[in-house]
Amino acid sequence: MKYLKFMPKNRIDDASRNKRELIAAKEFGYDCYCYCDPSNGAIQENFPDFSLIVLNSRKPTLDQFVLKRYLIIINNALVHMKELRQIDADIISCHNIYALGIAYFAYLFHNNKPKFIYDSHEFELKKKPRNKIMYHFIKALEGYLIKKCAFTIMVNEYIADAVAKIHGFDYPRAIVRSTPNYWKLDSTVSADMHAELCEKLGVPKDSFLISYHGNIFHNRGVEEIYRAMKLNPNIYLISIGNYANERYQNELNDLAEELAISNRIVHIPAQPHSELWKYVSAVDCGIVMFNGKSKNYAVALPNKFFENIQSMTPIICSDSVEMARIVNQYDIGILSPSGDAEKLAGNIERMRTDKELYRKFKANLTKAKNELCWENEKKKLLEAYKKYL
């Protein structure tokens, strides 16, 4: 049977969770394909477990007239629908509500419809502020389409239950968190990388390094980290990832200059997922902060959170529902209120100076690492395939 991961407007090199899903589907016995946007060329990988279907489509931009933007979006949707019908997949796993809408309506008048999976990576209805008309449209669309799916993948129980409550009905679901595979670390490689990063910073090799890794966007706490660095001269930041755009990169550079912290930051472009552990395991503390007002941020469980766990790196994170639950359950880090740079600076200093606390976090990470890995999460996905497909 042909299993298609449908992710228009998304690149496969940004989608580690989707790759793991496709590998699991192949393990289950499906012939796997991924429909995605072209890569930006920053990361080149081979995909022996699935085939890529890449379509170059026109990109709407904010500097275009509104009508032109919408015409491009509609045209892209029609092109995607045509391509989907030609692929003729038996199962289509849709990356988000946009992909699910296109996939479902592509087959609306066909007798032989594929089975649909709604892979809701985020809390869609609370992902960003929307006016009332758009909110109710998305709500109606999501409620309608969920009923048409074989099952829905949710990233945590809180979101799954909240979605059921919003729509007023239960639905077939699999709770599959975005955990990486179990990472086999090499302590020598990590120590050498730590020394190399300290050398780039021009500081002693035993200096305390913190990290932010992932896409560098607004509301991800980067500005908050910068302001904490201004308050605490003992903080050195390793930033790993690609900027949202050149404008935001310039804004952050200007802020670093204004705060006089530029010499305490090393930026590293996004790395292949197979190489990421070398950097995240080399630092002393991982920072995972969200300061957006969206409810989606308050219940998020991002990849970077679990990647710090797999790297055996103690965490300082926002006091949000799901991250706080795991931090408290395993006792692997410190919760810090979002938007409070002074508290963040103090918590980093506590992590740096309280050696007994730090040793406890490191010891507790062993259990968390063993349990919070894809090898365990994958079992839930395979069970859903057995039950619903």
Side-chain angles (χ1 to χ4, degrees), residues 193-194 197-198 200-201 209-213 229 236-241 264-268 279-280 282-283 285:
M193 180 62 73
H194 187 281
L197 294 170
C198 287
K200 286 183 178 181
L201 287 161
L209 306 182
I210 66 170
S211 72
Y212 169 94
H213 77 275
M229 293 176 69
Y236 300 96
L237 173 65
I238 309 303
S239 172
I240 310 161
R264 289 191 277 136
I265 301 172
V266 168
H267 177 72
I268 298 166
Y279 296 89
V280 185
V283 303
C285 174

Side-chain angles (χ1 to χ4, degrees), residues 237-250:
L237 173 65
I238 309 303
S239 172
I240 310 161
N242 293 330
Y243 293 96
N245 49 55
E246 186 176 353
R247 179 180 177 181
Y248 185 52
Q249 180 180 356
N250 292 335

Side-chain angles (χ1 to χ4, degrees), residues 208-224:
F208 192 86
L209 306 182
I210 66 170
S211 72
Y212 169 94
H213 77 275
N215 291 324
I216 305 173
F217 296 158
H218 281 290
N219 298 324
R220 300 292 177 90
V222 181
E223 295 94 336
E224 191 175 334

Side-chain angles (χ1 to χ4, degrees), residues 15 63 73 171 192:
D63 59 345
I73 291 169
Y171 55 93
D192 289 345

Side-chain angles (χ1 to χ4, degrees), residues 65 73 183 204 214 216 228 238 295 372 375:
F65 291 116
I73 291 169
W183 284 358
I216 305 173
I238 309 303
K295 180 69 172 179
L372 301 175
E375 286 78 358

